[in-house]
């Protein structure tokens, strides 16, 4: 079958990538979707069982740092679009092992860019109809101050007058955000130097089904279920801006098709939460759904040594995306968190498959000495 487009989605077996792959495979039967993933600890093909037999879906196990392989894939599949999500993504791991982050996030992105450049420049139409879309994070902008710790009249965000805009100067603090910043710069440099049609988006914290349980929300849901301690870093006062993952995938679809080349778009839901407040929402929701009395799991909250260099506050201004392309989040947070908690409780087998084996060693090493 001749496909209308041939799109590589890197990191498609991970958390956000699996939602993007699912959306594209189902919504565009005339596109061939090539999921390119190394299957690191964070990659899990069980995230995609519902679409794995679709005629327009191909899975390729490969490392984005393998330049020859990237070149081969560009040619084999006549690739005309890349949506690049593959990355090392966890801040705590980056603090322990920054090299892996520089390798995958910086060198891997460069290897993919160069393979795309060489292939596209070899074609008669060159860059026409091509697109390299790089998925990045708001963490590259650094951290905002928490000047309004009490929040609004309902005790909710915004927790300060300032936001991250597309024009905010990069100021990454963690090895993770530094490596993502490096990759973002390479993507923009490939546009400015070679004319590659690139787009970069910077999104806030995502939550939802299929997130690896080293991240706050799935980790805490699972720990509550097993009556394990909930390790709150520092005083739990750090603020994050949370977006339901399916809304991020919807934004990626829209921007891939309608975003302007060489532009940057911020993606976020104007949904700031202090960690300790979101933890209370999680506890309340899990307890209710498990039939526990209200407050039953509050005793699991355990304050631990703060993360090194812990960014105080992230808050995205996504008005450019709203005004130019008409995107808005479809879910209110209350609905999103209810769906999320239900999903993890209903999919205990998915969680158990991950948390058995190697995961336990990782989890113990993470909290040693805290
Ligand atoms: P994840 O850790 O869940 O998944 C990453 C995926 O990339 C995994 O499937 C892994 O196997 C794959 N991968 C890692 N190294 C690879 C390599 N060398 N070659 C090929 N594949 C490799 O990450 P996520 O949370 O889904 O994040 C996806 C992207 O979105 C990342 O680029 C991240 O920086 C960005 N992002 C994440 C968030 C968030 O809240 N999770 C927010 C904004 C942006
Ligand atoms: P995380 O999910 O790791 O995302 P990020 O660091 O990219 O924002 O963490 C979200 C927030 O929760 C962050 O402020 C760190 C905090 N946190 C804890 O307090 N305890 C934990 O066990 C984890 C994993 C995170």
């Amino acid at each position: 079958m001749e496909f209308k487009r041939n799109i590589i989605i890197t990191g498609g077996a991970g958390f956000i990538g699996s939602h993007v792959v699912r959306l594209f495979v189902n919504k565009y039967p005339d596109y061939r979707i090539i999921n390119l993933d190394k299957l690191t600890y964070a990659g899990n093909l069980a995230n995609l069982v519902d679409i794995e037999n679709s005629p327009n879906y191909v899975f390729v196990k490969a490392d984005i740092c393998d330049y020859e392989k990237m070149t081969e894939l560009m040619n084999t599949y006549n690739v005309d679009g890349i949506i690049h999500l593959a990355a090392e993504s966890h801040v705590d791991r980056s603090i322990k092992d920054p090299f892996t982050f520089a390798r995958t996030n910086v060198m891997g992105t460069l290897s993919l860019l160069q393979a795309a450049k060489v292939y596209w420049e070899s074609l008669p139409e060159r860059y026409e109809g091509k697109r390299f879309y790089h998925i990045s994070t708001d963490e590259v902008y650094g951290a905002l101050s928490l000047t309004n710790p009490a929040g609004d009249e309902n005790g909710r965000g915004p927790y300060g007058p300032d936001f991250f805009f597309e024009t905010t100067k990069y100021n990454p603090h963690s090895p993770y955000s530094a490596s993502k910043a490096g990759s973002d710069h390479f993507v923009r440099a490939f546009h400015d130097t070679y004319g590659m049609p690139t787009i970069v988006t910077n999104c806030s914290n995502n939550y939802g089904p299929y997130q690896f349980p080293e991240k706050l929300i799935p980790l805490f849901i699972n720990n509550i279920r097993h009556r394990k301690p909930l390790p709150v870093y520092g005083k739990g006062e750090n603020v994050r801006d949370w977006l339901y993952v399916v809304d991020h995938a919807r934004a990626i679809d829209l921007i891939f098709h309608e975003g302007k080349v060489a532009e940057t778009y911020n993606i976020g839901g104007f949904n700031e939460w202090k960690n300790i407040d979101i933890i209370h929402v999680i506890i309340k929701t899990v307890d209710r759904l498990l039939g526990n009395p209200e407050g039953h799991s509050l005793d699991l909250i355990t304050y631990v040594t703060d993360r090194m260099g812990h960014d105080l506050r992230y808050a995205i201004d996504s008005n450019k995306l709203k005004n130019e392309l008409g995107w808005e989040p479809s879910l209110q947070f209350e609905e999103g968190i209810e769906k999320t908690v239900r999903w993890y409780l209903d999919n205990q087998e998915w969680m158990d498959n991950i948390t058995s084996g190697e995961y336990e060693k990782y989890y113990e090493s993470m909290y040693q000495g805290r």
Side-chain angles (χ1 to χ4, degrees), residues 186-207:
F186 268 108
V187 174
R188 294 192 179 105
F190 267 60
H191 170 267
D192 296 349
T193 307
Y194 309 111
M196 182 181 283
T198 59
I199 291 189
V200 177
T201 55
N202 298 83
C203 189
S204 60
N205 284 61
N206 285 213
Y207 71 97

Side-chain angles (χ1 to χ4, degrees), residues 11 13-17 36-40 42-43 62-64 85-89 104 135-137 176 180 203-206 211 215:
F15 165 47
I16 302 171
L36 190 170
D37 200 294
K38 183 182 174 186
L39 299 182
T40 67
D63 184 339
I64 53 167
L85 296 108
E88 289 292 336
S89 70
T104 290
I135 309 300
S136 192
T137 165
Y176 163 64
K180 290 296 290 185
C203 189
S204 60
N205 284 61
N206 285 213
Q211 186 168 31
K215 305 276 168 67

